[in-house]
């Protein structure tokens, strides 16, 4: 299994423009919440919890993140739990509200992602490796930690492999 640094560096190589990274802080949480919402039906309440396909996806994802890194894994599990909580409320609402919220978040989230990749000048990481869909949310959490001055050893290892962030200049039209 690849290490945390391996996964983050591979994903980071597609995300060196700061505007693209900023777009991911908005787009990826929207997409994760959208997937939780859309996978929250069918479902049922048991012991005060809403159990649905989203629950299984979140548990498997949390297990993966925990195997990569305990601290990031615990934070990811908590964030996925919040997504499940919000999604459960929408899943129990009308079909119109549930579906429009899920699809709306999904579409707008991806539009924001593709705007970021326009600035990057590079396709999204998942095009070359589907694991990018799982690593994307972790990348956002890691980038936030780095901005807060946390996990500097991980940040340095990722930057050593993927290179520094920048603002890419647009090429002049001939």
């Amino acid at each position: 299994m690849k290490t945390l640094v391996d996964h983050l560096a591979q994903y980071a190589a597609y995300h060196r423009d700061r505007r693209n990274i900023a777009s991911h802080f908005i787009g990826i949480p929207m997409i994760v919440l959208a997937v939780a919402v859309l996978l929250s039906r069918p479902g049922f309440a048991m012991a005060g919890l809403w159990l649905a396909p989203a629950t299984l996806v979140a548990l498997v994802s949390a297990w993966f993140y925990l195997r990569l890194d305990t601290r990031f894994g615990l934070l990811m599990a908590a964030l996925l739990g919040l997504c499940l909580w919000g999604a459960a409320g929408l899943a129990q609402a009308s079909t119109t509200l549930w579906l429009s919220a899920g699809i709306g978040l999904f579409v707008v989230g991806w539009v924001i992602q593709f705007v970021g990749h326009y600035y990057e000048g590079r396709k999204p990481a998942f095009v070359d490796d589907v694991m990018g869909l799982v690593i994307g949310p972790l990348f956002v959490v890691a980038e936030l930690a780095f901005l807060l001055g946390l996990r500097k050893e991980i940040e340095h290892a990722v930057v050593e492999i993927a290179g520094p962030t920048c603002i890419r200049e647009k090429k002049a039209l001939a």
Side-chain angles (χ1 to χ4, degrees):
M1 185 167 139
K2 289 182 180 178
T3 67
L4 173 68
V5 170
D6 293 336
H7 280 294
L8 289 176
Q10 181 178 347
Y11 192 88
Y14 290 79
H15 305 87
R16 300 292 50 182
D17 187 287
R18 291 185 198 114
R19 294 165 295 188
N20 189 23
I21 294 170
S23 75
H24 282 54
F25 277 94
I26 301 165
I28 286 182
M30 290 177 76
I31 293 165
V32 171
L33 181 57
V35 169
V37 168
L38 293 170
L39 292 178
S40 286
R41 281 192 181 185
F44 60 93
M46 182 195 305
L49 298 173
W50 185 256
L51 301 177
T55 311
L56 179 61
V57 171
L59 288 172
V60 169
S61 298
W63 175 78
F64 173 76
Y65 296 135
L66 283 164
R67 288 199 57 208
L68 279 179
D69 184 85
T70 304
R71 289 181 276 175
F72 280 140
L74 289 171
L75 182 53
M76 291 301 298
L79 293 171
L80 289 170
L82 284 173
C83 286
L84 289 176
W85 175 76
L90 286 168
Q92 296 172 62
S94 70
T95 300
T96 302
L97 178 59
W98 162 73
L99 201 52
S100 61
I103 292 172
L105 285 165
F106 193 81
V107 169
V108 172
W110 277 111
V111 166
I112 292 169
Q113 293 297 94
F114 285 117
V115 167
H117 279 280
Y118 167 78
Y119 288 114
E120 185 75 41
R122 189 160 187 198
K123 62 188 170 189
F126 77 87
V127 173
D128 291 331
D129 183 1
V130 73
M131 279 303 293
L133 294 171
V134 178
I135 299 302
L138 179 61
F139 174 79
V140 169
V141 167
E143 285 292 319
L144 179 59
F146 302 158
L147 284 173
L148 296 173
L150 305 171
R151 306 300 302 269
K152 285 295 188 185
E153 73 286 358
I154 303 293
E155 179 182 18
H156 291 303
V158 169
V159 170
E160 187 174 307
I161 296 167
T165 61
C166 62
I167 299 290
R168 296 190 192 282
E169 298 281 332
K170 283 290 176 200
K171 294 178 183 172
L173 296 174

